[in-house]
Amino acid sequence: MVVSRNLLYILIIIITLLTACSFYHTELSNGNVGVVKEEEANSIDDEVILLYEQDIVYLMDGLENSETGFLNSSINQPYSIYLFKDFQLEAVTPHKDVLIHKENRDIHMEIELMPENINFFQLEYDTYKMLNNIVSKTVHRKVWDQPDPLLKGAVMLHAGNEEKSVQVILIKDRAHFPNMKLTIHTEEEIAINRLLAMAKTIVKTKMGR
């Protein structure tokens, strides 16, 4: 009798294991269960799905204005950006792009992504000297202290003369943006608002997207 009970228990365990294996195999065949390697999981987490277009809001004469931006990818630096239809992105040097108005090329903004370990004190000093030597002896400095997804904490350096106005914005340690140097060449308020609105759509990507 003891032998029979032990045999019965063994048969029950074997049947249970076979049933479980069969269920697991069926789930795998149906695509409901799978094992993702660590490298693949990281790749999926880092993947950014970007739509072809999105609405971008900016201020115009004190009121919010919405305009459609279209996805563009830099061939020069690892990022994508949404552009208004009257702007285009051009490569300037290996690590610098210019976002420029198609009909008025005097309205443009240079975009430079900075390394994560960039020395911002040195970058600010070099930028100050450049503005001081090329644009004007007077360089105004401001730190943006208002809530803003892109600009909060950014250092702004501005210099101007009778011929041109240049504003440089140094952006660091923002949760959803890479470290950046933005150089704006215009005094038109609406143009500046539109340029910065497009800059707020920048997403860091892998080269070759």
Side-chain angles (χ1 to χ4, degrees):
M1 179 67 73
V2 174
V3 175
S4 299
R5 284 183 177 178
N6 290 340
L7 182 59
L8 180 60
Y9 291 151
I10 292 172
L11 288 173
I12 291 173
I13 291 171
I14 292 173
I15 292 171
T16 302
L17 290 174
L18 289 174
T19 303
C21 290
S22 175
F23 174 77
Y24 181 69
H25 177 75
T26 302
E27 290 296 288
L28 281 176
S29 299
N30 291 336
N32 297 323
V33 177
V35 178
V36 179
K37 296 181 181 179
E38 183 178 353
E39 305 84 45
E40 294 173 349
N42 291 338
S43 175
I44 292 172
D45 290 340
D46 293 339
E47 186 69 17
V48 179
I49 299 176
L50 300 174
L51 301 177
Y52 174 68
E53 61 183 60
Q54 74 173 43
D55 290 335
I56 303 174
V57 177
Y58 61 90
L59 290 179
M60 184 170 66
D61 298 328
L63 300 175
E64 285 191 350
N65 185 62
S66 179
E67 194 172 342
T68 302
F70 300 92
L71 182 64
N72 282 257
S73 294
S74 170
I75 61 172
N76 206 26
Q77 300 181 86
Y79 72 91
S80 292
I81 183 173
Y82 287 87
L83 304 184
F84 299 134
K85 62 182 180 180
D86 53 343
F87 279 85
Q88 62 190 28
L89 194 65
E90 299 179 0
V92 179
T93 64
H95 301 289
K96 182 190 295 185
D97 297 316
V98 60
L99 177 54
I100 192 164
H101 195 277
K102 293 178 180 178
E103 297 182 359
N104 183 358
R105 297 181 67 86
D106 289 335
I107 298 175
H108 62 280
M109 177 176 71
E110 296 163 12
I111 301 174
E112 298 173 79
L113 268 57
M114 297 287 126
E116 292 183 4
N117 61 347
I118 184 73
N119 184 332
F120 267 89
F121 292 104
Q122 186 65 46
L123 179 62
E124 180 178 341
Y125 175 77
D126 293 342
T127 302
Y128 178 91
K129 294 296 292 183
M130 180 273 293
L131 292 173
N132 182 261
N133 292 331
I134 298 177
V135 183
S136 171
K137 294 297 181 183
T138 302
V139 179
H140 301 279
R141 182 184 189 273
K142 174 185 176 181
V143 177
W144 190 276
D145 58 358
Q146 301 299 314
D148 188 277
L150 176 69
L151 300 178
K152 183 173 175 56
V155 172
M156 299 183 169
L157 301 173
H158 176 263
N161 55 39
E162 295 180 355
E163 297 180 355
K164 59 184 174 181
S165 173
V166 180
Q167 179 175 244
V168 180
I169 305 175
L170 306 178
I171 298 164
K172 65 175 181 176
D173 299 332
R174 302 305 293 148
H176 303 293
F177 298 99
N179 293 335
M180 287 188 286
K181 177 183 177 182
L182 305 177
T183 305
I184 299 175
H185 296 263
T186 181
E187 284 187 324
E188 296 181 20
E189 183 178 357
I190 294 178
I192 293 174
N193 290 345
R194 296 181 78 216
L195 288 167
L196 289 178
M198 288 183 281
K200 291 178 184 180
T201 70
I202 288 177
V203 175
K204 191 169 184 179
T205 59
K206 296 179 180 179
M207 284 299 293
R209 275 185 71 96

